[in-house]
Amino acid sequence: MPLNPTTLGEYIRKRRMEQKLFQKDVGAIFNVSEACITNWENNKNEPQIQYYPLIFGFLGYCPFELDISTLTGRIKAYRYLNGFSQKRLAKMVDVDPSTILAWENGKGRVSDKLKVLLDSYEFVINRYQSPMCSHQVA
């Protein structure tokens, strides 16, 4: 069991072992195959963002450092907490996915439509906070 996990797969493995679950059990939770869990845990590939909300729920916290004190951080946090790819969020606010990437990197003017969406969203990361991460909450 990884004592100090650094990857999402290692966090999943640690939690699974603490819960005395098999990989097939965790696969059933996420609706993926046992082989998929094996690959995540062995860092052969990373879980797709669509699985992040389920993973955070399974872990009981978000292992990523999410800074919602900045607009760029809130965009990324919104995507991670909801399991949205840049493409999916872009479609929601009628922009190109590369525009979401630019906004997350602090470039360009963020659309009013996205600002309204973020302003109406209650960022509940406290239930996902890891004592090992320094999350900044506005």
Side-chain angles (χ1 to χ4, degrees):
M1 173 170 36
L3 296 176
N4 296 307
T6 58
T7 67
L8 198 50
E10 290 172 353
Y11 281 103
I12 292 168
R13 172 179 275 166
K14 182 174 190 261
R15 180 68 174 156
R16 177 181 65 79
M17 294 177 84
E18 289 170 350
Q19 295 295 310
K20 297 179 176 40
L21 297 171
F22 294 105
Q23 289 174 328
K24 68 178 180 178
D25 301 324
V26 177
I29 293 169
F30 301 141
N31 199 26
V32 298
S33 68
E34 180 179 350
C36 185
I37 299 299
T38 300
N39 287 335
W40 290 352
E41 289 185 354
N42 291 320
N43 299 312
K44 292 193 177 180
N45 54 43
E46 286 282 322
Q48 293 175 325
I49 196 168
Q50 70 191 39
Y51 296 107
Y52 285 9
L54 289 173
I55 292 170
F56 300 162
F58 174 71
L59 297 176
Y61 59 89
C62 170
F64 299 119
E65 191 168 323
L66 300 175
D67 179 3
I68 62 168
S69 67
T70 66
L71 181 57
T72 57
R74 287 176 47 226
I75 296 169
K76 189 174 240 179
Y78 181 82
R79 285 195 319 103
Y80 279 27
L81 295 173
N82 289 285
F84 294 161
S85 64
Q86 290 171 338
K87 183 178 180 179
R88 184 167 176 195
L89 180 57
K91 190 172 185 173
M92 291 169 59
V93 295
D94 302 317
V95 298
D96 187 85
S98 64
T99 303
I100 300 293
L101 175 62
W103 291 341
E104 286 182 353
N105 290 320
K107 297 179 179 151
R109 182 183 168 277
V110 176
S111 75
D112 290 337
K113 191 170 185 176
L114 180 57
K115 286 180 183 176
V116 168
L117 179 67
L118 295 175
D119 287 343
S120 68
Y121 184 74
E122 184 179 343
F123 286 90
V124 185
I125 27 183
N126 288 341
R127 67 179 169 171
Y128 293 129
Q129 282 189 322
S130 166
M132 298 164 46
C133 295
S134 57
H135 301 280
Q136 295 181 7
V137 180

